[in-house]
Amino acid sequence: MAKVITPRQEDYSQWYNDLVYRSGLADQSAVRGCMVIKPHGYALWENMQAILDKMFKDTGHVNAYFPLFVPKSLFEAEEKNAEGFAKECAVVTHYRLKTDPNNKSKLIVDPEAKLEEELIVRPTSEAIIWNTYRDWIKSYRDLPILINQWANVVRWEMRTRPFLRTTEFLWQEGHTAHSTENEAIEEALKMHEVYTRFAEDYMAMPVIKGAKTANERFAGAVDTFTIEAMMQDGKALQAGTSHYLGQNFAKAFNVKFLSDQNREEFVYATSWGVSTRLIGALVMCHSDDDGLILPPRLAPIQVVIVPIPKPSEQIDQVAKTLMDQLKSQNIRVNYDQDEKNRPGFKFAEHELKGVPIRIGIGARDLEQGLVEVARRDTKEKIQIPVDKLSTEIPLMLEKIQINLFDRAKNFRDQKTHFVDDRKSFEEIINGPGGFVYAHWDGSSETENAIKESTKATIRCIPLDAPEEDGQCIWTGVKSKKRVLFARAY
RNA sequence: CGGGGCGUAGCGCAGCCCGGUAGCGCACCUGGUUUGGGACCAGGGGGUCCCAGGUUCGAAUCCUGGUGCCCCGACCA
């Protein structure tokens, strides 16, 4: 068997890169730091979009679209936000090219086409959106505004990795405006919960819900809520964030409304987003050395039928009947009729792409009315009577979905530790890695010292962690709650 | 931006030290035999050897300068 992917144990990063490229999720592009999302990867994203979009609509949100460019003067209005993103902004300074007078086959930037005011390519859209909301909001009757947009953003990162961190990426960003602090906080928490449900129920990826520390908070936010997942190398990955923005943006953009008490007040805001990074998370959460393992609820193809050894009239007929039965149950099924490749090749190919279930139909089994059904997650193969498939397959898809979640959760739990002293903390972080719950004195100084010394950061202050007396592992100062530490992507 | 490594066919690489006009595996095309876990045989197509300059009768190979990419760190979703 030709090996196409570096084994995880040999080199985890290389495994990830190999997987992304070999499985057809993405391709490298001619633009540094940017990738091409190939049809298989984009299909995954479309499935994520469809589900999230429905969840947003079900919670009362509507979609809209705001410009890619943000005038610099607007961008700088909310100081903390501007400062936080300043170092990674792409800036448009000119609007025209012209033929190079010294070389007619080349183009140069026309120095006469310099913009009066530079345009920032959005790294996030709070600025342009809040500048717009000012015009939309006059009265408490105009609130709340519950808008989401599907968009691309650009953040000029120094180092990129496919899906996990690229210069341009796709995401959704929700931006809501509210008349009261409570309502805005509830909104931020509600979307935090939506992300949790999406990660756990659809991606089969267990997450820890929590709040970010001041250091890790979104620039311009009062509070940032996060979901943190564990990857197979024990590192944490921030999979989604929801921010309570207080009145910071309302004040920066002068967005006021008249309350039902006839008082002028600043609007309360939230924003929340998940990106194509989720695809990277999905890959690193479940996949193995043979390729992707996709949760059935998101897999572009849930069931693939492979004729063995090749298509024939009899096999085609069984396959087509089966496809109709499965399709009528909204199962995404594909019949691999390609005559160029043999079954073994196809098996490997579909495993590489992460198809949850493979059905092998061969003349020999068919004589007994059987087909071979193989699960991608466990590699288990069983014989199933043809007439049982239309009931068995949906059940098996559900089993796979659940198994993936359970497996990921067990893995995470095994790599989760509770420690009470610096030495044990360092032993785990520097050794096997994983999540570490430990007491922390609550100061940024200590957080930074720990980061500097161990490269572990506070991923979040878990929302559901019990109060308990303890001492900061670094300074010995009293603490009432454990926080979650890990090295992170 | 620091520290490493690499640019030779679509992909992965050898050749470079010691200059002589480019090769291997996979992929691709044609024909045939095959077909229950990445088939085999035969034939075939495909290269500005990253770019520019220099040394030389002659440069993938030596020298100089660019440039691009990858990995590790700092920054970050």
Side-chain angles (χ1 to χ4, degrees):
Chain A
M1 193 159 101
K3 192 185 73 175
V4 292
I5 298 173
T6 306
R8 280 167 293 188
Q9 279 212 307
E10 195 179 308
D11 184 340
Y12 191 81
S13 303
Q14 195 56 48
W15 166 78
Y16 176 78
N17 284 336
D18 287 353
L19 199 43
V20 166
Y21 296 127
R22 303 311 280 263
S23 66
L25 290 179
D27 216 343
Q28 291 174 335
S29 79
V31 192
R32 170 153 74 196
C34 296
M35 62 175 176
V36 175
I37 303 178
K38 294 178 74 177
H40 191 45
Y42 203 79
L44 248 183
W45 179 238
E46 286 178 313
N47 287 345
M48 290 179 166
Q49 279 185 304
I51 292 157
L52 284 165
D53 201 66
K54 179 160 192 310
M55 293 172 98
F56 299 157
K57 303 272 170 66
D58 287 347
T59 44
H61 303 84
V62 291
N63 286 329
Y65 188 80
F66 292 84
L68 170 68
F69 302 117
V70 185
K72 200 180 79 181
S73 57
L74 289 186
F75 185 74
E76 65 200 5
E78 209 297 322
E79 266 179 57
K80 286 203 172 122
N81 186 250
E83 198 187 308
F85 285 106
K87 300 183 301 292
E88 42 188 322
C89 285
V91 184
V92 180
T93 55
H94 292 75
Y95 59 85
R96 194 163 63 210
L97 296 173
K98 66 173 191 179
T99 303
D100 183 349
N102 300 317
N103 184 344
K104 289 203 172 134
S105 66
K106 301 283 184 195
L107 292 170
I108 58 169
V109 173
D110 186 344
E112 293 185 4
K114 193 166 170 7
L115 289 170
E116 288 286 318
E117 180 180 359
E118 292 92 345
L119 297 173
I120 312 303
V121 180
R122 62 180 168 215
T124 180
S125 301
E126 276 78 4
I128 189 79
I129 286 179
W130 279 88
N131 185 61
T132 309
Y133 281 2
R134 181 180 54 241
D135 297 336
W136 293 358
I137 299 170
K138 299 295 171 212
S139 143
Y140 73 96
R141 295 177 198 278
D142 297 325
L143 297 169
I145 292 181
L146 304 171
I147 285 181
N148 173 65
Q149 85 165 343
W150 291 96
N152 58 340
V153 286
V154 167
R155 296 183 187 174
W156 215 267
E157 303 288 352
M158 291 179 181
R159 228 179 110 210
T160 58
R161 299 193 65 190
F163 291 112
L164 298 176
R165 182 169 299 106
T166 48
T167 300
E168 180 192 11
F169 57 95
L170 305 183
W171 77 345
Q172 59 68 217
E173 46 181 329
H175 295 274
T176 68
H178 306 265
S179 52
T180 67
E181 176 175 25
N182 270 349
E183 189 183 306
I185 291 173
E186 269 175 33
E187 165 77 6
L189 290 171
K190 182 195 286 176
M191 300 323 286
H192 188 219
E193 180 61 24
V194 164
Y195 289 155
T196 303
R197 292 275 58 82
F198 178 75
E200 299 201 331
D201 296 348
Y202 292 89
M203 295 175 68
M205 181 175 76
V207 294
I208 304 292
K209 301 165 68 176
K212 285 292 189 187
T213 61
N215 277 0
E216 301 277 330
R217 203 174 283 154
F218 176 73
V222 175
D223 236 321
T224 288
F225 302 104
T226 179
I227 53 173
E228 299 284 327
M230 186 191 285
M231 302 295 101
Q232 291 181 55
D233 59 353
K235 285 169 81 174
L237 187 131
Q238 178 177 310
T241 49
S242 179
H243 317 290
Y244 167 59
L245 302 172
Q247 296 174 309
N248 292 344
F249 283 88
K251 285 176 178 167
F253 290 91
N254 197 31
V255 187
K256 294 184 205 168
F257 70 102
L258 271 178
S259 73
D260 54 4
Q261 309 292 311
N262 200 31
R263 274 202 302 267
E264 193 170 58
E265 291 178 39
F266 284 111
V267 171
Y268 294 87
T270 81
S271 69
W272 28 273
V274 294
S275 71
T276 38
R277 179 180 237 208
L278 289 180
I279 294 174
L282 195 65
V283 171
M284 286 203 294
C285 185
H286 300 305
S287 303
D288 65 19
D289 292 346
D290 294 323
L292 295 179
I293 297 179
L294 300 177
R297 291 190 184 171
L298 290 177
I301 295 173
Q302 295 169 308
V303 178
V304 66
I305 302 170
V306 178
I308 298 169
K310 62 179 178 182
S312 71
E313 209 169 301
Q314 185 199 21
I315 291 172
D316 287 357
Q317 202 175 1
V318 174
K320 287 192 171 131
T321 307
L322 177 58
M323 283 214 292
D324 288 343
Q325 288 170 348
L326 295 179
K327 277 180 181 169
S328 70
Q329 300 180 71
N330 292 317
I331 290 169
R332 298 184 285 273
V333 55
N334 186 36
Y335 180 35
D336 186 349
Q337 295 186 76
D338 179 8
E339 296 209 33
K340 192 186 70 166
N341 295 120
R342 296 156 38 123
F345 184 89
K346 293 178 179 179
F347 294 171
E349 199 65 16
H350 296 303
E351 279 162 12
L352 179 61
K353 288 181 173 288
V355 182
I357 294 178
R358 181 188 69 238
I359 301 175
I361 304 182
R364 212 155 67 204
D365 292 342
L366 228 39
E367 282 170 18
Q368 304 163 61
L370 297 172
V371 296
E372 180 186 85
V373 178
R375 278 173 63 156
R376 177 62 184 93
D377 61 334
T378 58
K379 289 294 191 71
E380 187 187 357
K381 289 194 276 200
I382 53 173
Q383 308 285 114
I384 295 184
V386 176
D387 55 15
K388 291 265 172 60
L389 285 171
S390 66
T391 52
E392 288 296 320
I393 295 298
L395 293 175
M396 187 178 279
L397 286 170
E398 271 312 298
K399 272 189 205 158
I400 293 172
Q401 182 78 32
I402 291 163
N403 179 49
L404 288 179
F405 180 85
D406 290 346
R407 199 157 81 174
K409 188 158 185 299
N410 285 337
F411 178 83
R412 185 189 74 187
D413 291 348
Q414 275 172 24
K415 296 207 126 206
T416 297
H417 307 87
F418 290 75
V419 310
D420 293 306
D421 62 281
R422 175 170 176 165
K423 186 163 172 282
S424 331
F425 180 85
E426 288 173 333
E427 275 172 9
I428 288 164
I429 292 295
N430 295 326
F435 285 179
V436 178
Y437 285 95
H439 282 281
W440 163 63
D441 65 18
S443 76
S444 287
E445 291 72 32
T446 303
E447 184 179 5
N448 285 333
I450 293 172
K451 182 179 179 183
E452 186 122 341
S453 167
T454 65
K455 293 187 182 115
T457 50
I458 299 177
R459 301 319 304 154
C460 68
I461 304 161
L463 295 185
D464 55 3
E467 296 255 321
E468 91 177 50
D469 288 326
Q471 293 185 319
C472 174
I473 51 159
W474 221 254
T475 61
V477 172
K478 280 186 182 168
S479 148
K480 289 211 158 156
K481 200 173 176 183
R482 289 176 188 270
V483 297
L484 176 60
F485 285 92
R487 285 190 184 152
Y489 278 95

